[in-house]
Amino acid sequence: MYCIPNGQSHILRIIFLILLVSDAFAGKMKIVEEPNTFGLNNPLLVQGSRLQPKATPTPVSGPPHLHTLAGKCFSYIESTYKYEFCPFHNITQHEQSFRWNAYSGILGIWQEWEIVNNTFMAMWMREGDVCGNRNRQTKVILTCGISSKLAQVSEPSTCIYSLTFETPLVCHPHSLLVYPILSEVLQKEWDEAEQALYEELITEQGYNNLLRDIFEDAGFLKSQKVKVKQEVTTPSNTQNSFQKCNEDLRKQREEIDRLQALLTQHNIPHQPNTDDVKDPVSNAVGDRYLRGDIGLITDVV
């Protein structure tokens, strides 16, 4: 029988104990699961772990060649945080740590473009998670790059983030111009606004308001117009108004007759003037004035 020297046996026992301890710690190590940010509510996650958006993304808009980015997501790690940017959908932030309450939240949902000098400058992602007394929001600036990727992340002010997204899709000098992708109708409206500004028929502020209306109609900006419910005049409404007018006139005449009878009963003299309550339809002179036929009433003294 082969015998192990005492020294080697002691070493083997130490190695065996180290392996046992390592297995025990490995079983207790926490694995951080990061949610799938595209779609936000990943069905593979338990309900308590899903990110809950406050709004739905607005429709895809802007330069048609950028629409190919819809449905894709791009990651960027800064310090202990991982950012997920899904163009035309959302942007999220995930803390890369083993803390039991590691942060994972929404920094914004796709809302609208930022347009400056006839150019799409940035994408605005708003309605993110609550941060104090407001919601988080993110401005994504588009720049030229050899590949599509997130290049920089910052937080200029509390709860407002700024991301730089590089992509070769915006490298052409005209790739982010607004006017060329407008419909012919909206291009015509823009041309008319330019002409009115040139002829000083409108102010600079008025011109900018017209441009915003055009961009809203194109779907590039969220509409700020307040919808006012207008009462539509129908034949039935017109008929009801005419009947009400006749009813009020009848009641007025009845009241005049009652007052006259009351005065007569108490021997109070009165001189009724029936011209005060003439029917407008039978008043020929008044009718002529209403039509504007002033030159036709030469027979009136």
Side-chain angles (χ1 to χ4, degrees), residues 26-67:
K28 296 180 180 179
M29 182 174 291
K30 177 178 175 59
I31 299 176
V32 178
E33 294 183 358
E34 183 175 288
N36 179 4
T37 56
F38 182 70
L40 297 179
N41 290 330
N42 185 354
L44 299 179
L45 295 174
V46 296
Q47 184 65 35
S49 301
R50 299 179 183 178
L51 302 180
Q52 300 296 328
K54 297 181 178 298
T56 56
T58 57
V60 177
S61 65
H65 58 278
L66 294 182
H67 295 183

CSV table of all heavy atoms in Angstrom, one decimal, residues 26-67:
chain,number,residue,atom,x,y,z
A,26,ALA,N,-19.1,30.6,-3.7
A,26,ALA,CA,-19.6,30.7,-5.1
A,26,ALA,C,-21.1,30.5,-5.1
A,26,ALA,O,-21.8,31.1,-5.9
A,26,ALA,CB,-18.9,29.7,-5.9
A,27,GLY,N,-21.6,29.7,-4.3
A,27,GLY,CA,-23.1,29.5,-4.3
A,27,GLY,C,-23.8,30.6,-3.8
A,27,GLY,O,-25.0,30.8,-4.1
A,28,LYS,N,-23.2,31.5,-2.9
A,28,LYS,CA,-23.9,32.6,-2.3
A,28,LYS,C,-23.7,33.9,-3.1
A,28,LYS,O,-24.4,34.9,-2.8
A,28,LYS,CB,-23.5,32.9,-0.9
A,28,LYS,CG,-23.8,31.7,0.0
A,28,LYS,CD,-23.3,32.0,1.4
A,28,LYS,CE,-23.6,30.8,2.4
A,28,LYS,NZ,-23.2,31.1,3.7
A,29,MET,N,-22.9,34.0,-4.2
A,29,MET,CA,-22.6,35.2,-4.9
A,29,MET,C,-23.9,35.7,-5.7
A,29,MET,O,-24.5,34.9,-6.3
A,29,MET,CB,-21.5,35.0,-5.9
A,29,MET,CG,-21.1,36.3,-6.6
A,29,MET,SD,-19.6,36.0,-7.6
A,29,MET,CE,-18.4,35.9,-6.3
A,30,LYS,N,-24.2,37.0,-5.5
A,30,LYS,CA,-25.4,37.5,-6.2
A,30,LYS,C,-25.0,37.9,-7.6
A,30,LYS,O,-24.0,38.5,-7.9
A,30,LYS,CB,-25.8,38.8,-5.5
A,30,LYS,CG,-27.0,39.5,-6.1
A,30,LYS,CD,-27.4,40.7,-5.3
A,30,LYS,CE,-28.5,41.4,-6.0
A,30,LYS,NZ,-29.7,40.6,-6.3
A,31,ILE,N,-25.9,37.5,-8.6
A,31,ILE,CA,-25.8,37.8,-10.0
A,31,ILE,C,-26.7,38.9,-10.3
A,31,ILE,O,-27.9,38.7,-10.1
A,31,ILE,CB,-26.0,36.5,-10.8
A,31,ILE,CG1,-25.0,35.4,-10.5
A,31,ILE,CG2,-26.0,36.9,-12.3
A,31,ILE,CD1,-25.3,34.1,-11.2
A,32,VAL,N,-26.2,40.0,-10.8
A,32,VAL,CA,-27.1,41.1,-11.2
A,32,VAL,C,-27.7,40.9,-12.5
A,32,VAL,O,-27.0,40.7,-13.5
A,32,VAL,CB,-26.3,42.5,-11.2
A,32,VAL,CG1,-27.2,43.6,-11.6
A,32,VAL,CG2,-25.7,42.7,-9.8
A,33,GLU,N,-29.0,40.9,-12.6
A,33,GLU,CA,-29.7,40.7,-13.9
A,33,GLU,C,-30.1,42.1,-14.4
A,33,GLU,O,-30.8,42.8,-13.7
A,33,GLU,CB,-31.0,39.8,-13.7
A,33,GLU,CG,-30.6,38.4,-13.3
A,33,GLU,CD,-31.9,37.5,-13.2
A,33,GLU,OE1,-33.0,38.1,-13.4
A,33,GLU,OE2,-31.7,36.3,-12.9
A,34,GLU,N,-29.7,42.3,-15.6
A,34,GLU,CA,-30.1,43.6,-16.2
A,34,GLU,C,-31.2,43.4,-17.2
A,34,GLU,O,-31.2,42.6,-18.0
A,34,GLU,CB,-28.8,44.1,-17.0
A,34,GLU,CG,-29.1,45.5,-17.6
A,34,GLU,CD,-27.8,46.0,-18.2
A,34,GLU,OE1,-26.8,46.4,-17.5
A,34,GLU,OE2,-27.7,46.0,-19.4
A,35,PRO,N,-32.3,44.2,-17.0
A,35,PRO,CA,-33.5,44.1,-17.9
A,35,PRO,C,-33.2,44.4,-19.4
A,35,PRO,O,-32.3,45.2,-19.7
A,35,PRO,CB,-34.5,45.0,-17.3
A,35,PRO,CG,-33.7,46.1,-16.6
A,35,PRO,CD,-32.5,45.3,-16.1
A,36,ASN,N,-33.9,43.8,-20.2
A,36,ASN,CA,-33.9,44.2,-21.7
A,36,ASN,C,-34.6,45.5,-21.8
A,36,ASN,O,-35.8,45.6,-21.6
A,36,ASN,CB,-34.6,43.1,-22.5
A,36,ASN,CG,-34.6,43.4,-24.0
A,36,ASN,OD1,-34.0,44.4,-24.4
A,36,ASN,ND2,-35.3,42.6,-24.7
A,37,THR,N,-33.8,46.5,-22.2
A,37,THR,CA,-34.4,47.9,-22.2
A,37,THR,C,-35.2,48.2,-23.4
A,37,THR,O,-36.0,49.1,-23.4
A,37,THR,CB,-33.3,48.9,-22.2
A,37,THR,OG1,-32.4,48.7,-23.3
A,37,THR,CG2,-32.5,48.9,-20.9
A,38,PHE,N,-35.1,47.4,-24.5
A,38,PHE,CA,-35.9,47.7,-25.7
A,38,PHE,C,-37.3,47.0,-25.4
A,38,PHE,O,-37.5,45.8,-25.3
A,38,PHE,CB,-35.4,47.1,-27.0
A,38,PHE,CG,-36.2,47.4,-28.2
A,38,PHE,CD1,-36.3,48.7,-28.6
A,38,PHE,CD2,-36.9,46.4,-28.8
A,38,PHE,CE1,-37.1,49.0,-29.7
A,38,PHE,CE2,-37.7,46.7,-29.8
A,38,PHE,CZ,-37.8,48.0,-30.3
A,39,GLY,N,-38.3,47.9,-25.3
A,39,GLY,CA,-39.6,47.4,-25.0
A,39,GLY,C,-39.9,47.6,-23.5
A,39,GLY,O,-41.0,47.6,-23.1
A,40,LEU,N,-38.8,47.8,-22.7
A,40,LEU,CA,-38.9,48.1,-21.3
A,40,LEU,C,-39.5,47.0,-20.5
A,40,LEU,O,-38.9,46.5,-19.5
A,40,LEU,CB,-39.7,49.4,-21.0
A,40,LEU,CG,-39.1,50.6,-21.7
A,40,LEU,CD1,-40.0,51.8,-21.4
A,40,LEU,CD2,-37.7,50.9,-21.1
A,41,ASN,N,-40.7,46.5,-20.8
A,41,ASN,CA,-41.3,45.4,-20.0
A,41,ASN,C,-41.0,44.0,-20.6
A,41,ASN,O,-41.7,43.5,-21.4
A,41,ASN,CB,-42.8,45.6,-20.0
A,41,ASN,CG,-43.2,46.8,-19.1
A,41,ASN,OD1,-42.5,47.2,-18.2
A,41,ASN,ND2,-44.3,47.5,-19.5
A,42,ASN,N,-39.8,43.5,-20.3
A,42,ASN,CA,-39.4,42.2,-20.7
A,42,ASN,C,-40.2,41.1,-20.1
A,42,ASN,O,-40.2,41.0,-18.9
A,42,ASN,CB,-37.9,42.0,-20.4
A,42,ASN,CG,-37.3,40.8,-20.9
A,42,ASN,OD1,-38.0,40.0,-21.5
A,42,ASN,ND2,-36.0,40.6,-20.8
A,43,PRO,N,-40.9,40.3,-20.9
A,43,PRO,CA,-41.8,39.3,-20.3
A,43,PRO,C,-41.0,38.2,-19.5
A,43,PRO,O,-41.6,37.5,-18.8
A,43,PRO,CB,-42.5,38.7,-21.5
A,43,PRO,CG,-41.6,39.0,-22.7
A,43,PRO,CD,-40.9,40.3,-22.3
A,44,LEU,N,-39.7,38.1,-19.7
A,44,LEU,CA,-38.9,37.1,-19.0
A,44,LEU,C,-38.6,37.5,-17.6
A,44,LEU,O,-38.1,36.7,-16.8
A,44,LEU,CB,-37.6,36.9,-19.8
A,44,LEU,CG,-37.7,36.3,-21.2
A,44,LEU,CD1,-36.4,36.1,-21.8
A,44,LEU,CD2,-38.5,35.0,-21.2
A,45,LEU,N,-38.8,38.8,-17.3
A,45,LEU,CA,-38.6,39.3,-15.9
A,45,LEU,C,-39.8,39.2,-15.0
A,45,LEU,O,-40.9,39.3,-15.5
A,45,LEU,CB,-38.1,40.8,-16.0
A,45,LEU,CG,-36.8,41.0,-16.7
A,45,LEU,CD1,-36.5,42.5,-16.8
A,45,LEU,CD2,-35.6,40.4,-15.9
A,46,VAL,N,-39.6,39.1,-13.7
A,46,VAL,CA,-40.7,39.1,-12.8
A,46,VAL,C,-41.3,40.5,-12.8
A,46,VAL,O,-40.6,41.5,-13.1
A,46,VAL,CB,-40.3,38.7,-11.4
A,46,VAL,CG1,-39.8,37.3,-11.4
A,46,VAL,CG2,-39.2,39.6,-10.9
A,47,GLN,N,-42.6,40.6,-12.5
A,47,GLN,CA,-43.3,41.9,-12.6
A,47,GLN,C,-42.6,43.0,-11.8
A,47,GLN,O,-42.5,44.2,-12.2
A,47,GLN,CB,-44.7,41.7,-12.1
A,47,GLN,CG,-45.6,43.0,-12.2
A,47,GLN,CD,-45.8,43.4,-13.7
A,47,GLN,OE1,-45.9,42.5,-14.5
A,47,GLN,NE2,-45.8,44.7,-13.9
A,48,GLY,N,-42.1,42.7,-10.6
A,48,GLY,CA,-41.5,43.7,-9.7
A,48,GLY,C,-40.2,44.2,-10.3
A,48,GLY,O,-39.7,45.3,-9.9
A,49,SER,N,-39.5,43.5,-11.3
A,49,SER,CA,-38.2,43.9,-11.8
A,49,SER,C,-38.4,44.7,-13.1
A,49,SER,O,-37.4,45.2,-13.6
A,49,SER,CB,-37.4,42.7,-12.1
A,49,SER,OG,-37.2,42.0,-10.9
A,50,ARG,N,-39.6,44.8,-13.7
A,50,ARG,CA,-39.8,45.5,-14.9
A,50,ARG,C,-39.8,47.0,-14.8
A,50,ARG,O,-40.3,47.5,-13.8
A,50,ARG,CB,-41.1,45.1,-15.6
A,50,ARG,CG,-41.1,43.6,-15.9
A,50,ARG,CD,-42.5,43.2,-16.5
A,50,ARG,NE,-42.5,41.8,-16.7
A,50,ARG,CZ,-43.6,41.2,-17.2
A,50,ARG,NH1,-44.7,41.9,-17.5
A,50,ARG,NH2,-43.6,39.9,-17.4
A,51,LEU,N,-39.2,47.7,-15.7
A,51,LEU,CA,-39.3,49.1,-15.8
A,51,LEU,C,-40.6,49.6,-16.3
A,51,LEU,O,-41.1,49.1,-17.2
A,51,LEU,CB,-38.1,49.7,-16.6
A,51,LEU,CG,-36.7,49.3,-16.3
A,51,LEU,CD1,-35.7,49.9,-17.2
A,51,LEU,CD2,-36.4,49.7,-14.9
A,52,GLN,N,-41.2,50.5,-15.6
A,52,GLN,CA,-42.5,51.0,-15.9
A,52,GLN,C,-42.5,52.4,-16.5
A,52,GLN,O,-42.3,53.4,-15.8
A,52,GLN,CB,-43.4,51.0,-14.6
A,52,GLN,CG,-43.5,49.7,-13.9
A,52,GLN,CD,-44.3,48.6,-14.8
A,52,GLN,OE1,-45.1,49.0,-15.6
A,52,GLN,NE2,-43.9,47.4,-14.6
A,53,PRO,N,-42.7,52.5,-17.8
A,53,PRO,CA,-42.7,53.8,-18.5
A,53,PRO,C,-43.9,54.6,-18.2
A,53,PRO,O,-45.0,54.1,-17.9
A,53,PRO,CB,-42.7,53.5,-20.0
A,53,PRO,CG,-43.3,52.1,-20.1
A,53,PRO,CD,-43.0,51.4,-18.8
A,54,LYS,N,-43.8,56.0,-18.1
A,54,LYS,CA,-44.9,56.9,-17.8
A,54,LYS,C,-45.6,57.3,-19.1
A,54,LYS,O,-46.7,57.9,-19.0
A,54,LYS,CB,-44.4,58.1,-17.1
A,54,LYS,CG,-43.7,57.8,-15.7
A,54,LYS,CD,-43.3,59.1,-15.1
A,54,LYS,CE,-42.7,58.8,-13.7
A,54,LYS,NZ,-43.7,58.3,-12.8
A,55,ALA,N,-45.0,57.1,-20.3
A,55,ALA,CA,-45.6,57.5,-21.5
A,55,ALA,C,-45.2,56.5,-22.6
A,55,ALA,O,-44.3,55.7,-22.4
A,55,ALA,CB,-45.2,58.9,-21.9
A,56,THR,N,-45.9,56.6,-23.7
A,56,THR,CA,-45.5,55.8,-24.9
A,56,THR,C,-44.7,56.6,-25.9
A,56,THR,O,-44.9,57.9,-26.0
A,56,THR,CB,-46.8,55.3,-25.6
A,56,THR,OG1,-47.6,56.4,-26.0
A,56,THR,CG2,-47.6,54.4,-24.7
A,57,PRO,N,-43.8,56.1,-26.6
A,57,PRO,CA,-43.0,56.8,-27.5
A,57,PRO,C,-43.9,57.4,-28.6
A,57,PRO,O,-44.9,56.8,-29.0
A,57,PRO,CB,-42.0,55.8,-28.1
A,57,PRO,CG,-42.0,54.7,-27.2
A,57,PRO,CD,-43.4,54.6,-26.6
A,58,THR,N,-43.5,58.6,-29.1
A,58,THR,CA,-44.2,59.2,-30.3
A,58,THR,C,-43.8,58.4,-31.5
A,58,THR,O,-42.7,57.8,-31.5
A,58,THR,CB,-43.9,60.7,-30.4
A,58,THR,OG1,-42.5,60.9,-30.5
A,58,THR,CG2,-44.4,61.4,-29.2
A,59,PRO,N,-44.5,58.6,-32.6
A,59,PRO,CA,-44.1,57.9,-33.9
A,59,PRO,C,-42.8,58.3,-34.4
A,59,PRO,O,-42.3,59.4,-34.1
A,59,PRO,CB,-45.2,58.3,-34.8
A,59,PRO,CG,-46.4,58.7,-34.0
A,59,PRO,CD,-45.8,59.3,-32.7
A,60,VAL,N,-42.1,57.4,-35.1
A,60,VAL,CA,-40.8,57.6,-35.7
A,60,VAL,C,-41.0,58.8,-36.7
A,60,VAL,O,-41.9,58.8,-37.5
A,60,VAL,CB,-40.3,56.4,-36.4
A,60,VAL,CG1,-39.0,56.7,-37.2
A,60,VAL,CG2,-40.1,55.2,-35.4
A,61,SER,N,-40.1,59.7,-36.7
A,61,SER,CA,-40.1,60.9,-37.6
A,61,SER,C,-38.7,61.4,-37.9
A,61,SER,O,-37.8,60.8,-37.4
A,61,SER,CB,-41.0,62.0,-36.9
A,61,SER,OG,-40.3,62.5,-35.7
A,62,GLY,N,-38.7,62.4,-38.7
A,62,GLY,CA,-37.4,63.0,-39.0
A,62,GLY,C,-36.8,62.4,-40.3
A,62,GLY,O,-37.5,61.9,-41.1
A,63,PRO,N,-35.5,62.6,-40.5
A,63,PRO,CA,-34.9,62.1,-41.8
A,63,PRO,C,-35.2,60.6,-42.0
A,63,PRO,O,-34.9,59.8,-41.1
A,63,PRO,CB,-33.4,62.3,-41.5
A,63,PRO,CG,-33.4,63.5,-40.5
A,63,PRO,CD,-34.5,63.2,-39.6
A,64,PRO,N,-35.7,60.3,-43.2
A,64,PRO,CA,-36.0,58.8,-43.4
A,64,PRO,C,-34.9,57.9,-43.3
A,64,PRO,O,-35.0,56.7,-42.9
A,64,PRO,CB,-36.5,58.9,-44.9
A,64,PRO,CG,-37.0,60.3,-45.1
A,64,PRO,CD,-36.1,61.1,-44.3
A,65,HIS,N,-33.6,58.3,-43.6
A,65,HIS,CA,-32.5,57.4,-43.5
A,65,HIS,C,-32.1,57.1,-42.1
A,65,HIS,O,-31.4,56.1,-41.8
A,65,HIS,CB,-31.3,58.0,-44.3
A,65,HIS,CG,-30.8,59.3,-43.7
A,65,HIS,ND1,-31.4,60.5,-44.1
A,65,HIS,CD2,-29.9,59.7,-42.9
A,65,HIS,CE1,-30.9,61.5,-43.5
A,65,HIS,NE2,-29.9,61.1,-42.7
A,66,LEU,N,-32.7,57.9,-41.1
A,66,LEU,CA,-32.4,57.5,-39.7
A,66,LEU,C,-33.4,56.6,-39.2
A,66,LEU,O,-33.3,56.0,-38.0
A,66,LEU,CB,-32.4,58.8,-38.9
A,66,LEU,CG,-31.3,59.8,-39.1
A,66,LEU,CD1,-31.4,61.0,-38.2
A,66,LEU,CD2,-29.9,59.2,-39.0
A,67,HIS,N,-34.5,56.3,-39.9
A,67,HIS,CA,-35.5,55.4,-39.4
A,67,HIS,C,-35.0,54.0,-39.3
A,67,HIS,O,-35.6,53.2,-38.6
A,67,HIS,CB,-36.7,55.4,-40.4
A,67,HIS,CG,-37.4,56.7,-40.4
A,67,HIS,ND1,-38.6,57.0,-41.2
A,67,HIS,CD2,-37.1,57.9,-39.8
A,67,HIS,CE1,-39.0,58.2,-41.0
A,67,HIS,NE2,-38.1,58.8,-40.2
